[in-house]
Each structure stands twice: as C-alpha cells, then as structure tokens.
Amino acid sequence: MTERKPPGVSFESWADKQIRDARARGEFDRLPGAGRPLPGDVEAAYDEQWWIKRKLAREGVSVLPPTLALRKEAEDGLAAALRAPSERIARRIVEDLNVRIRDMMFKPPPGPPLGLKPYDVEEVVRQWRERRAAG
C-alpha cells in the first residue's frame, strides 16, 4: 500500500477503507496461523526480549549457564540410571555423569557454583536393584 491519505478524509475512515479493500482482494486469506488460536504468550505481560526468547526456543539453544545445565543433566541422568534395563547400563550412565561432574568441579566455568559431587555408583546400583526387585 503506497497510497497517501487524501486531504479532508479522517484517518480512521481512510484506514477502514484500506482494510476493506485489502479484505476484498483476499490479502488476509491464508495468512500464517489463520484459524488457529493465538499463542499463549500473547496474553502475558509485555516483555521487551520476547523475540529473543522465541528465537532461542525455536533454535533449541540452551540459555542455562553450564553448571545449571549439568545439574539438570545429572538429575535426568540419575533418573535414567534408576530406570535402566540392566545394571551394566545403570553403572555406565552414572560413571559418565561422574566424569562430567568431576570435569566441572576441577575446571569450573563462569556462573553459579555447581553444587554437585560425583554420585556413589554402588549406592545408585543398590537403589536400581531395589527398584528392579520391587517392580
């Protein structure tokens, strides 16, 4: 739309006419998201960085500091070890986690402290055996 508002015509009526004309030409048909509900974040309070957060989420980029990401990974890994189909796999999961935890302990990156220590492999395997016997 490159037309200018004619003199003497109120802006509101001129804009309404432009919208009516565009609708008649079908310019609003088949727009992305047509017929679907608005995203949930539309109702949220305005956030100046909304587009950055949406881009990071779309790209699957982690915005957690490395220590917090490892905490989450350790939590998920421990749960995976306890659900492992065999003791060998449970041991391997915990040993791999311990390697990453020790690396982070001895070469701390910037950010909050890790707050983790290596897991006791035998204790995790004992818990794995108990769960296996119970279930």
Side-chain angles (χ1 to χ4, degrees):
M1 175 175 98
T2 58
E3 298 175 40
R4 296 184 63 97
K5 179 181 87 58
V9 176
S10 74
F11 183 78
E12 184 175 350
S13 63
W14 180 76
D16 289 338
K17 180 184 179 314
Q18 298 300 313
I19 293 170
R20 274 194 313 276
D21 292 348
R23 190 176 289 150
R25 290 189 302 268
E27 292 181 18
F28 294 118
D29 298 343
R30 293 179 301 282
L31 289 174
R36 292 192 305 254
L38 291 173
D41 59 355
V42 171
E43 298 296 323
Y46 180 71
D47 180 6
E48 291 179 1
Q49 297 180 350
W50 65 268
W51 63 276
I52 296 169
K53 292 175 183 174
R54 190 174 292 167
K55 173 75 172 167
L56 291 174
R58 195 170 50 245
E59 298 294 326
V61 176
S62 172
V63 293
L64 288 176
T67 52
L68 296 181
L70 183 56
R71 283 186 196 179
K72 176 67 174 137
E73 185 181 341
E75 181 182 308
D76 295 344
L78 185 57
L82 294 173
R83 289 190 316 268
S86 72
E87 181 177 323
R88 183 181 57 77
I89 293 172
R91 281 182 185 277
R92 189 179 60 206
I93 291 170
V94 175
E95 288 167 356
D96 289 347
L97 274 174
N98 284 344
V99 167
R100 287 194 292 283
I101 291 170
R102 283 188 189 97
D103 285 347
M104 189 84 61
M105 286 172 62
F106 297 122
K107 298 178 266 181
L114 178 59
L116 284 177
K117 61 182 182 181
Y119 293 109
D120 180 348
V121 176
E122 296 306 319
E123 175 61 22
V124 173
V125 169
R126 184 190 62 72
Q127 291 176 19
W128 176 85
R129 286 182 187 141
E130 287 176 0
R131 286 175 158 225
R132 186 79 169 189

